[in-house]
Amino acid sequence: MTVVVGYRPGFGGEEALELGIALAAALDLRLEIVIALPRPWTTPSMAKVDAEFASYAQRLGDDSEQIAHAALARHSVTAPVGIHRITERSVSVALTKVSGDLAAQFLVMGTRHRTRGGFSLGSTTSRMIHSSEIPLALAPPDYTAPPNGLTGVTCAYSATADGADVVAGATSVAASAGVRLRVASFGVAPADMYPPEVGLDAERGVLAAWVDQTSAAQSVLRTSGLIDPSVSTVIGTGADYTAALAAIDWPAGEVLAIGTTPRSPVKRVFLGSTATRILGGATVPVIVLPG
């Protein structure tokens, strides 16, 4: 079993490699670095554009591999490491193929786009979220793995039937890594629904009722045996999901696990609106668990 890192310098590759090294160490898995290269034209060009493109792809692969080796040396990585170049019609196709060939347990990617609170998804990452059959770990911009590596998994629990499946998946990840598990739920105060003269008591009451219901649902996780009694639970609330996530502490080495919803065989999973907003507000690495 392996941890596969989709690597390209300057496109989130550095952060992905940082997270991949930490995951491979925590899970005691082989680290496989994949450099996806564009496929050259197969039809010769009178202007020799095809040869120029092939030369560019070769240089890109050489430079990426050299930078990857330098990064590995800085981290003094002692675990088995493989570096692969693959040429496919798209990065997502390349990563899907290699992940299957290398029996990947996790696929790690970086993100280049930053939002106000955390990070957003590029086109390739979005495609992988909706097609990957293995957990997809996303490293936020400027991510650097802490010296102690992975220390805990926080599971975003939605207090629904699907949420219980996410808790089970996060429990498995935490157990495999030998780190603690925490279950967290995030709530957002509803937008003002009433005129100012009515006041804000109604909105506050809605949020308070949600907190009570969610707290009760978290307790059921313990009584049903889905989580160990020692697992901590926490609820974060705020004006938006960025504030709700910031309302709880995030120790160094923490990762956030969120779930997806199964859809059809054509598009295997779907990242719901709540999960998307949580992802946008996250400041720690996120593991997306397939439904």
Side-chain angles (χ1 to χ4, degrees):
M1 303 295 282
T2 63
V3 172
V4 169
V5 175
Y7 183 73
R8 185 176 176 186
F11 290 81
E14 293 83 359
E15 292 87 348
L17 185 55
E18 290 269 345
L19 180 56
I21 291 171
L23 279 173
L27 298 166
D28 194 24
L29 297 175
R30 180 180 176 88
L31 179 66
E32 303 285 1
I33 301 170
V34 176
I35 302 169
L37 300 174
R39 176 183 290 174
W41 290 283
T42 56
T43 303
S45 165
M46 293 291 291
K48 299 187 183 301
V49 175
D50 55 326
E52 292 177 2
F53 189 87
S55 177
Y56 158 75
Q58 180 66 38
R59 291 195 307 272
L60 177 61
D62 291 343
D63 292 344
S64 298
E65 191 167 336
Q66 182 178 4
I67 296 171
H69 278 296
L72 292 169
R74 288 196 301 272
H75 284 278
S76 300
V77 177
T78 57
V81 179
I83 298 182
H84 310 265
R85 300 188 196 186
I86 182 169
T87 301
E88 275 293 349
R89 65 180 184 271
S90 70
V91 174
S92 57
V93 170
L95 292 177
T96 299
K97 182 179 185 301
V98 174
S99 295
D101 292 344
L102 298 176
Q105 186 171 345
F106 286 87
L107 172 62
V108 186
M109 300 179 68
T111 53
R112 291 188 295 158
H113 308 285
R114 182 182 295 280
T115 62
R116 178 167 60 90
F119 51 92
S120 59
L121 303 178
S123 58
T124 299
T125 308
S126 294
R127 282 194 293 271
M128 293 310 303
I129 282 180
H130 293 117
S131 63
S132 179
E133 297 185 0
I134 60 174
L136 177 62
L138 303 175
D142 305 321
Y143 173 75
T144 301
N148 293 331
L150 185 66
T151 60
V153 176
T154 293
C155 175
Y157 174 56
S158 62
T160 64
D162 290 336
D165 293 336
V166 178
V167 172
T171 300
S172 177
V173 173
S176 297
V179 298
R180 61 167 175 74
L181 173 70
R182 176 176 64 169
V183 174
S185 300
F186 304 102
V188 173
D192 296 346
M193 297 180 294
Y194 303 99
E197 59 268 18
V198 175
L200 300 177
D201 289 345
E203 283 82 1
R204 291 168 181 161
V206 170
L207 184 60
W210 176 87
V211 170
D212 290 341
Q213 293 170 359
T214 301
S215 180
Q218 289 179 341
S219 297
V220 171
L221 294 176
R222 290 196 182 91
T223 58
S224 64
L226 189 57
I227 61 173
D228 190 85
S230 63
V231 173
S232 65
T233 58
V234 64
I235 297 175
T237 62
D240 54 27
Y241 280 100
T242 298
L245 268 76
I248 69 173
D249 66 303
W250 294 97
E254 195 80 6
V255 298
L256 172 65
I258 63 176
T260 56
T261 302
R263 283 296 183 257
S264 68
V266 177
K267 179 173 283 190
R268 186 173 180 277
V269 295
F270 174 75
L271 195 63
S273 59
T274 298
T276 300
R277 293 188 180 99
I278 290 175
L279 181 61
T283 56
V284 299
V286 175
I287 297 177
V288 182
L289 301 171

